[in-house]
Amino acid sequence: MSVLLAIPARYASTRYPGKPLATLTGATGEAKSLVQRSWEAACEVKGVDRVVVATDDDRIREAAKGFGAEVVMTSPDCANGTERCAEALDVLGGGFDMVVNLQGDAPLTPHWFVEDLIKGLDDDRSAQVATPVLRCDGAALNGFLEDRRNGRVGGTTAVFAANRHALYFSKEVIPFTGQAFAPADQTPVFHHVGVYAYRPEALSQYRRYTAGILEQLEGLEQLRFLENNAPLLCVEVEAQGREFWELNNPEDVPRIEAMMAKMGMS
């Protein structure tokens, strides 16, 4: 099985313009751009045949080439990372059995999250797409709830059926639970990790779908699959002691840097 891993990166983010070039300082004091750290995380994944940065911006292209990444230029008309991955696959001429989308705002993604994701989609032939979910402990859940109280999106949560096929994703914290959790407690809430694995035919079909009302309201690209009845597998992954957070807002930079310092990530 041949696997392409694409890192979609756009400069014109509504919430955080220029986000891929924002710098994160590691435990040793070295500052690297978000897109570089995402690329380095991608290069650790086993079982991937090719890693590319997919962008429409010359600034990101030059930065990516500067740290040694292969770059695929895509259209500024791509509405989200999934569309950008589909176009990158076209530019490269296809030829892959699976495409992984490691979004460029998740530099703390451990390699085993992606490896488990690839295996999960390969094993479930009924699924067209797969994405990782991570069970929240009390500390993570309380962080999500605090962000929402302050009008910020701290992350996306997921609910899924017994067969692990997704039922819904939301920027609200779902399912609702009125229970109080201690920081180390396991909770019934799952954090959606912003990584996807697609079969090529699912990517091709995605661009033919119309963005539905749920995708438009939530601003979540994966809902387009659900609104068109495309089976999407949720693969539960294990943190194995690693902390995980996505860079959604400028306020997330110090939070991620603190996590990197704690884990000794350079």
Side-chain angles (χ1 to χ4, degrees):
M1 182 178 63
S2 57
V3 179
L4 169 69
L5 192 155
I7 303 169
R10 64 177 183 136
Y11 194 91
S13 169
T14 302
R15 278 189 290 164
Y16 194 165
K19 182 169 68 170
L21 300 182
T23 57
L24 291 169
T25 301
T28 61
E30 184 177 4
K32 297 179 184 177
S33 68
L34 179 60
V35 68
Q36 180 174 355
R37 291 193 179 278
S38 298
W39 177 76
E40 290 177 352
C43 290
E44 293 181 3
V45 179
K46 298 181 181 68
V48 169
D49 297 275
R50 195 167 179 180
V51 176
V52 300
V53 173
T55 187
D56 60 359
D57 189 272
D58 291 339
R59 290 161 291 190
I60 295 173
R61 178 190 61 192
E62 292 308 310
K65 286 185 174 180
F67 56 74
E70 179 181 0
V71 179
V72 175
M73 295 304 291
T74 53
S75 167
D77 296 329
C78 293
N80 54 49
T82 299
E83 290 188 8
R84 201 171 300 283
C85 286
E87 187 168 314
L89 181 62
D90 288 347
V91 171
L92 293 172
F96 294 91
D97 300 308
M98 190 181 297
V99 179
V100 174
N101 170 355
L102 178 62
Q103 300 195 86
D105 57 6
L108 300 185
T109 305
H111 62 86
W112 61 87
F113 280 20
V114 186
E115 292 158 4
D116 289 349
L117 179 66
I118 293 169
K119 183 179 185 303
L121 184 59
D122 191 39
D123 289 346
D124 186 346
R125 305 309 300 180
S126 68
Q128 296 181 17
V129 185
T131 194
V133 293
L134 179 66
R135 186 183 292 273
C136 290
D137 60 17
L141 175 56
N142 293 334
F144 281 4
L145 294 171
E146 179 65 20
D147 278 338
R148 296 307 295 130
R149 282 191 290 268
N150 287 283
R152 296 189 299 268
V153 176
T156 298
T157 55
V159 290
F160 43 85
N163 65 355
R164 297 284 168 164
H165 286 194
L167 296 172
Y168 196 62
F169 298 88
S170 182
K171 289 179 179 176
E172 292 292 350
V173 181
I174 58 171
F176 167 79
T177 172
Q179 183 179 347
F181 293 95
D185 287 348
Q186 293 296 289
T187 79
V189 176
F190 282 85
H191 182 185
H192 171 236
V193 180
V195 185
Y196 302 93
Y198 320 93
R199 303 193 193 282
E201 56 270 25
L203 274 182
S204 177
Q205 188 64 45
Y206 184 86
R207 289 186 292 180
R208 300 190 186 101
Y209 295 145
T210 300
I213 186 64
L214 298 178
E215 178 185 353
Q216 294 174 52
L217 289 171
E218 292 270 11
L220 295 174
E221 65 203 81
Q222 68 270 33
L223 290 175
R224 194 180 307 181
F225 288 112
L226 299 190
E227 291 188 88
N228 287 277
N229 297 313
L232 193 161
L233 175 70
C234 291
V235 178
E236 185 174 357
V237 293
E238 298 292 336
Q240 299 183 28
R242 281 278 294 270
E243 294 188 71
F244 176 82
W245 202 262
E246 295 157 348
L247 203 160
N248 295 299
N249 311 284
E251 296 87 351
D252 292 324
V253 170
R255 175 183 281 173
I256 291 176
E257 289 180 334
M259 290 179 175
M260 293 173 65
K262 182 178 177 182
M263 293 185 287
M265 295 177 63
S266 59

